[in-house]
């Protein structure tokens, strides 16, 4: 249910951004809002507190954000408070950001390797991803996981390419277990 709620709100803001030709403006504001919310966790405590009246929460949102963010974003925040959906705000904002990135053909890749990559290796991986996907730009996120032994894992959205040696060894072990079970 929460996923449907976050998608509905995110999609409404995204459609409004497209209709009003404000995709870049709202994208920038939503990214800034995410940073503000992450830097001020006490705001979330206030907004989620059951003992604080909804009108007080609305006043707080309007005092903090009115005039600092667009009317569309301020309106979204008000609707979230009115409909008691503040718990889903992080998901809503993340959903909107994801929709804008897809719209702007910006892919987000997470690459795991057993050792740190050189800049030249990173550049080749990024270029290969640009050549093999429909994206025009890539946001690359690298991490090191020594348990991979060799190879790499690449995740873009819900797609995963796992060419790590550890995965290949696990697959071989499963195949061997199946062979042993079939011989009895």
């Amino acid at each position: 249910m929460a996923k449907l709620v976050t998608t509905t709100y995110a999609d409404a803001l995204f459609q409004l951004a497209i209709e009003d030709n404000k995709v870049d403006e709202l994208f920038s504001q939503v990214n800034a809002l995410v940073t503000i919310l992450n830097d001020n966790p006490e705001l979330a405590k206030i907004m989620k507190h059951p003992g604080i009246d909804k009108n007080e929460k609305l006043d707080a949102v309007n005092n903090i954000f009115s005039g600092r963010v667009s009317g569309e974003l301020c309106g979204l925040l008000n609707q979230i408070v009115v409909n008691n959906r503040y718990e889903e705000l992080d998901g809503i904002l993340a959903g909107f950001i994801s929709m804008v990135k897809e719209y702007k053909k910006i892919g987000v890749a997470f690459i795991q390797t057993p050792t740190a990559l050189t800049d030249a290796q990173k550049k080749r991986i990024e270029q290969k991803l640009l050549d093999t996907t429909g994206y025009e730009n890539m946001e690359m996120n690298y991490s090191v996981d020594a348990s991979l032994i060799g190879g790499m894992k690449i995740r873009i959205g819900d797609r995963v390419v796992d060419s790590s040696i550890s995965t290949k060894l696990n697959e071989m072990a499963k195949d061997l277990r199946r062979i042993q079970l079939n011989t009895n």
Side-chain angles (χ1 to χ4, degrees):
M1 178 71 171
K3 183 153 179 83
L4 178 62
V5 169
T6 58
T7 303
T8 301
Y9 279 92
D11 189 52
L13 183 61
F14 178 68
Q15 293 302 323
L16 185 63
I18 290 174
E19 288 171 15
D20 292 350
N21 200 24
K22 292 185 173 182
V23 173
D24 291 332
E25 177 186 342
L26 287 173
F27 182 65
S28 175
Q29 288 183 14
V30 167
N31 278 309
L33 179 59
V34 168
T35 301
I36 290 167
L37 295 175
N38 287 337
D39 292 346
N40 297 287
E42 57 279 354
L43 179 60
K45 289 178 186 174
I46 292 167
M47 301 309 287
K48 294 175 185 177
H49 196 286
I52 298 175
D53 181 63
K54 195 180 291 188
N55 289 325
E56 290 179 78
K57 293 176 184 180
L58 283 170
D59 288 343
V61 165
N62 289 321
N63 287 334
I64 294 168
F65 297 108
S66 186
R68 292 180 178 90
V69 298
S70 66
E72 294 87 354
L73 191 52
C74 206
L76 173 73
L77 293 170
N78 277 288
Q79 280 303 122
I80 288 169
V81 171
V82 166
N83 295 327
N84 293 317
R85 297 294 187 188
Y86 197 85
E87 294 280 340
E88 284 91 15
L89 182 59
D90 291 340
I92 293 166
L93 299 178
F96 174 78
I97 290 169
S98 179
M99 289 175 189
V100 171
K101 286 181 179 179
E102 281 296 318
Y103 176 77
K104 297 176 80 143
K105 296 186 186 261
I106 300 170
V108 179
F110 296 89
I111 292 91
Q112 287 182 310
T113 56
T115 58
L117 299 172
T118 66
D119 288 341
Q121 289 171 320
K122 290 178 180 180
K123 193 70 178 161
R124 282 196 309 271
I125 292 169
E126 182 178 357
Q127 190 58 53
K128 185 70 171 175
L129 291 176
L130 287 170
D131 293 343
T132 58
T133 64
Y135 296 113
E136 295 173 1
N137 293 301
M138 294 297 295
E139 284 183 12
M140 307 296 285
N141 300 283
Y142 295 96
S143 63
V144 174
D145 181 356
S147 71
L148 296 179
I149 303 169
M152 70 177 69
K153 286 185 184 180
I154 300 172
R155 181 174 61 83
I156 301 174
D158 59 357
R159 295 172 289 180
V160 176
V161 176
D162 187 346
S163 66
S164 67
I165 291 176
S166 63
T167 297
K168 289 180 181 182
L169 288 172
N170 286 334
E171 289 171 0
M172 286 174 43
K174 286 180 190 176
D175 289 343
L176 288 172
R177 280 194 287 275
R178 271 189 239 127
I179 291 170
Q180 286 176 343
L181 292 175
N182 290 336
T183 59
N184 291 334

